[in-house]
């Protein structure tokens, strides 16, 4: 983590942190965050590094921007690397990490390894992310440093992880859940997310496949949000900056069609973790038949899902628009599906995906018209 460099400089130069920052940053030292200091280009020159490399390899920038479009990431990058002083507001990016982090974390075994190899330790990027509680290298719990929220824009006088005693975090999810979150976090830090994939449609598909389906075949988003909240618990969600408000639960918004609000990376990580650990099958929804579904229904669902997929591919190839009803009819499953949608989660998921595509006759036009109408109404009100 880039802030380590400044902490080390304080140790080696013997200068007070404020004096050191004056020398390095000149006037522009309003934001010398551990995570994303301003004047990145100047720091890069002093460190003998390429500025882009510094940004991508030594700050949480790839994590912060993981869910932004490629164009937006390029815009943010250009802003951060431009030499214009003081015009850049990085607070939103910084907050996407800092609001879910009680203090900088470290791993005692990494400290030992680093001292052996480099003669000193440093703050690791991957340890100081929200919802990160174990070291992925050593599999042991991370420890909390004294560099908490109040200190990490000016904690350069507090030394390196090796100078820390470290405290344990009190309440966290179980080890398995921690591992899943760690895996997702590291994927984001390593920019492994497929930017072209329709992530929100993917979330809907996953929710449906897990059994969060309403009688109408939509995502049972309110129920899902409620189960999500009890899975992590309110205290934990607050600690990672992802509180779920009952009136407007963000997990429900995240699986809703047409959502445009940006969500911080931690929310994506938590939702994906919940999906990974949630057992598929009927959920406590009033209209679900009780008990386990017979195997034969699963097979029927598989068959129908397959046939519908093929019908969608055909429609795409011929470049024609169609409807869910027509697709189900051509697959010979319309009456079975209409009768008991809850028994066809996979087919429902395939159809939900389809409805976001150009080939869907009903939804594309309908949505655009609806959006225009809502926009007009909003403008009139203003
Ligand atoms: Zn470690």
């Amino acid at each position: 983590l880039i802030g380590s460099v400044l902490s080390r400089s304080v140790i080696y130069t013997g200068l007070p942190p404020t004096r050191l920052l004056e020398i390095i940053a000149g006037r522009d030292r309003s934001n010398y965050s551990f995570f994303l200091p301003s004047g990145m280009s100047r720091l890069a020159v002093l460190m003998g590094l390429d500025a882009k490399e510094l940004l991508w390899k030594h700050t949480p920038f790839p994590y912060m921007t993981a869910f932004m479009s490629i164009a937006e990431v390029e815009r943010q990058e250009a802003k951060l690397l431009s030499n214009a002083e003081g015009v850049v507001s990085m607070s939103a990016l910084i907050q996407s990490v800092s609001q879910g982090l009680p203090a900088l974390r470290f791993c005692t075994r990494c400290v030992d390894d680093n001292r052996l190899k480099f003669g000193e330790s440093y703050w690791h990027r991957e340890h100081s992310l929200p919802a990160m509680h174990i070291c992925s290298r050593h599999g042991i719990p991370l420890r909390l440093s004294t560099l908490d929220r109040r200190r990490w824009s000016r904690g350069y006088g507090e030394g390196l992880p090796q100078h820390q005693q470290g405290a344990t975090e009190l309440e966290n999810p179980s080890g398995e859940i921690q591992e899943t979150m760690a895996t997702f976090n590291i994927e984001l830090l390593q920019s492994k997310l497929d930017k072209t994939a329709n992530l929100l449609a993917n979330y809907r598909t996953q929710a449906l496949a897990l059994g969060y389906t309403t009688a109408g075949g939509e995502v049972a988003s309110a129920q899902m949000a409620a189960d999500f909240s009890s899975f992590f618990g309110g205290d934990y969600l607050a600690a990672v900056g992802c509180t779920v408000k009952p009136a407007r639960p963000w997990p429900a918004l995240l699986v809703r069609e047409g959502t445009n609000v940006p969500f911080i990376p931690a929310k994506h990580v938590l939702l994906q973790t919940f999906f990974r650990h949630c057992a598929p099958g009927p959920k406590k929804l009033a209209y679900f038949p009780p008990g386990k579904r017979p195997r034969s229904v699963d097979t029927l669902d598989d068959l129908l899902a397959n046939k519908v997929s093929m019908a969608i591919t055909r429609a795409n190839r011929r470049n024609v628009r169609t409807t869910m009803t027509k697709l189900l009819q051509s697959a010979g499953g319309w009456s079975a599906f209409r009768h008991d949608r809850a028994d066809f989660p996979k087919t429902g998921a395939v159809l939900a995906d389809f409805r976001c595509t150009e080939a869907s006759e009903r939804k594309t036009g309908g949505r655009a018209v609806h959006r225009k109408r809502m926009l007009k109404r909003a403008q009139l009100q203003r």
Side-chain angles (χ1 to χ4, degrees):
L1 192 60
I2 190 161
S4 314
V5 177
L6 297 167
S7 293
R8 295 212 314 266
S9 309
V10 167
I11 295 169
Y12 288 122
T13 58
L15 290 169
T18 36
R19 178 80 193 106
L20 182 86
L21 286 184
E22 265 169 31
I23 295 169
I24 293 176
R27 287 178 293 118
D28 182 33
R29 58 187 179 86
S30 51
N31 167 32
Y32 249 76
S33 157
F34 253 87
F35 304 101
L36 212 55
S38 52
M40 197 79 75
S41 302
R42 177 157 169 74
L43 257 183
V45 172
L46 292 171
M47 290 170 69
L49 275 180
D50 177 57
K52 210 166 163 173
E53 189 189 337
L54 184 63
L55 181 65
W56 284 90
K57 298 267 174 72
H58 303 280
T59 77
F61 185 71
Y63 170 93
M64 293 161 166
T65 55
F67 296 93
M68 292 177 186
S69 67
I70 294 172
E72 179 61 12
V73 178
E74 282 172 355
R75 207 177 65 85
Q76 297 284 353
E77 185 193 76
K79 255 168 80 177
L80 288 170
L81 298 184
S82 73
N83 284 315
E85 275 182 31
V87 292
V88 189
S89 161
M90 284 165 285
S91 59
L93 284 178
I94 293 172
Q95 265 175 32
S96 69
V97 172
S98 65
Q99 84 182 24
L101 197 67
L104 294 186
R105 297 191 181 94
F106 64 96
C107 161
T108 49
R109 290 194 49 198
C110 281
V111 169
D112 293 343
D113 286 359
N114 293 158
R115 291 185 80 179
L116 217 67
K117 194 169 172 194
F118 304 114
E120 64 187 354
S121 60
Y122 58 95
W123 302 102
H124 291 225
R125 279 190 307 171
E126 61 167 72
H127 294 162
S128 290
L129 293 176
M132 191 74 179
H133 308 289
I134 49 167
C135 172
S136 64
R137 196 161 296 127
H138 298 107
I140 60 168
L142 296 171
R143 296 183 75 80
L144 282 176
S145 74
T146 54
L147 277 101
D148 61 16
R149 283 199 184 99
R150 288 163 297 137
R151 291 203 186 90
W152 58 44
S153 57
R154 51 196 164 88
Y156 299 110
E158 304 210 14
L160 300 167
Q162 71 205 50
H163 305 117
Q164 289 275 338
Q165 196 100 68
T168 45
E169 271 175 293
L170 292 177
E171 278 191 54
N172 279 330
S174 77
E176 239 178 277
I177 297 170
Q178 288 184 24
E179 270 170 41
T180 308
M181 295 192 297
T183 309
F184 284 136
N185 277 332
I186 288 168
E187 275 176 18
L188 300 186
L189 206 50
Q190 294 173 344
S191 312
K192 284 194 176 156
L193 196 74
D194 179 6
K195 294 259 187 197
T196 59
N198 185 345
L199 202 68
L200 299 188
N202 193 4
Y203 289 160
R204 281 194 291 280
T205 309
Q206 286 189 66
L208 290 168
L210 286 168
Y212 288 107
T213 319
T214 66
E218 301 291 323
V219 179
S221 55
Q223 182 65 46
M224 193 211 76
D227 289 358
F228 173 93
S229 294
S230 50
F231 177 81
F232 284 107
D235 289 348
Y236 181 74
L237 290 172
V240 291
C242 298
T243 300
V244 176
K245 293 179 187 134
R248 214 170 174 274
W250 64 260
L253 298 178
L254 206 40
V255 295
R256 202 158 291 171
E257 230 165 310
T259 299
N260 267 326
V261 204
F263 294 89
I264 54 167
K267 290 183 174 172
H268 290 273
V269 168
L270 293 186
L271 188 68
Q272 293 191 37
T273 301
F274 170 68
F275 283 153
R276 183 69 62 87
H277 289 269
C278 172
K283 296 294 180 286
K284 293 180 298 181
L285 302 168
Y287 40 81
F288 267 108
K292 199 178 185 301
R293 255 177 287 147
R295 179 85 200 115
S296 63
V297 177
D298 277 342
T299 321
L300 210 63
D301 185 20
D302 283 335
L303 270 173
L304 189 57
N306 243 330
K307 279 186 179 170
V308 170
S309 282
M310 288 192 307
I312 293 170
T313 312
R314 278 199 302 275
N316 276 330
R317 204 183 300 137
R318 295 205 313 264
N319 209 10
V320 290
R321 290 194 170 179
T322 183
T323 62
M324 283 175 48
T325 314
K326 282 184 202 158
L327 284 169
L328 284 163
Q329 279 166 343
S330 80
W334 169 234
S335 87
F337 182 84
R338 188 180 49 170
H339 234 193
D340 217 338
R341 284 169 189 238
D343 277 337
F344 295 92
K346 287 176 190 161
T347 309
V350 170
L351 287 168
D353 260 1
F354 158 74
R355 285 172 52 224
C356 317
T357 65
E358 283 303 313
S360 173
E361 192 171 81
R362 209 152 274 168
K363 282 298 158 177
T364 10
R367 269 204 304 273
V369 168
H370 180 69
R371 209 178 298 133
K372 227 178 250 170
R373 201 183 302 143
M374 297 304 284
L375 216 78
K376 213 170 194 180
R377 201 174 291 165
Q379 282 163 353
L380 282 177
Q381 276 170 2
R382 225 173 277 154

